[in-house]
Amino acid sequence: MSKNESLQTWEDSEFPILCETCLGENPYVRMTKERFGKECKVCAKPFTVFRWLPGRGMRYKKTEICQSCAKLKNVCQTCILDLEHGLPVQVRDSALGLEDAAPRDDINRRHYMENQARTDTPLDFSGRANPAGREMLKRMARRGPYYERNKPHLCSFFAKGTCTRGNECPYRHELPKADGELAKQNIIDRYHGTNDPVAKRMLARSSAKVDGLAPPDDKSIASLFLVGLTAETSADDIKGYFYAYGEVKSVNVVPAKGCAFVNFKTRAGAEAAAQAVIGGCVIGGKSIRVAWGRARPKGPRADAPKPTTAGAPPPPPGSTRAMAYPSQDPTAQGAQPK
Ligand SMILES: [Zn+2]
Ligand SMILES: [Zn+2]
Ligand SMILES: [Zn+2]
């Protein structure tokens, strides 16, 4: 490869790829542009750096990664959040079941990007997703821009009580919130969607809230409930899928209802599986929704100690859960012919 060729891989661009939040309220904001101003924080290629003030009282922002890297993941060049949903890559990719295909080493990445550029088909980050994952993203997506994020960074001297600049201080005089996870984020991890503490917390919160995947307090429960199976899905298919997370004691399929119970030998196995299937999973080419099984209610005393009833059906209609739990008995009322 000649010197000229390698220069051509440097990136020059007219306008940055930004999310609404990073751009700020005024779409006609004045930007400074510096060709090959910095190296991309992901691929280290020199690229055009844009810098602008996203509104009064905000801090200056600049592009941190190159456009090729941004396009590859459909993320903002500044905040590295998904452009469509405003969510971390890891949240989007777990919900949609996307693999991180972007190579991390230089040579492979260049090949990969050249191929992408040649085909010129932007990656489809939602079209090929399973419906459960798409639903999840819709629920989690931030509606509208969030300009608070553009405020100046916190003044570290103020936090220690030693800032002497008072009103002249360009940093924000507020005490930091209890969790410092955001500060610990690493741009490359966030870009590849791995090891992102913020994403992990969002996923855990979302799944606990909506999918009923928060482990139930009753430690005797070691079963998961699956909905959306095809008539062809066998107990062996299900066992084969979940075996990786823990030893499966039994699988009860209810073909008429397209649902099944996976009973794990240990609670730890069930928890590992529940953790892994956040946002749903795909078995036999079909996207499956997953919830925790429940102990069968015994009489009016809800607080009475319950015997282990792994695989018992979750609660009947009237439950506030987002998912409809059919009874395990296929002939029970409410059965839908498939
Ligand atoms: Zn790059
Ligand atoms: Zn952004
Ligand atoms: Zn200060």
Side-chain angles (χ1 to χ4, degrees), residues 298-322:
K298 290 262 178 204
R301 276 199 58 200
D303 57 340
K306 292 169 190 131
T308 306
T309 50
S319 151
T320 54
R321 298 279 179 163

Side-chain angles (χ1 to χ4, degrees), residues 18-23 61 76-81 149:
L18 294 176
C19 71
E20 266 187 277
T21 297
C22 286
L23 184 61
K61 302 203 105 176
C76 169
Q77 277 187 275
T78 295
C79 67
I80 330 293
L81 295 174
R149 221 175 55 205

Side-chain angles (χ1 to χ4, degrees), residues 211-229:
D211 297 332
L213 276 180
D217 294 335
D218 183 344
K219 296 276 183 210
S220 70
I221 298 169
S223 62
L224 297 181
F225 176 62
L226 316 183
V227 194
L229 303 167

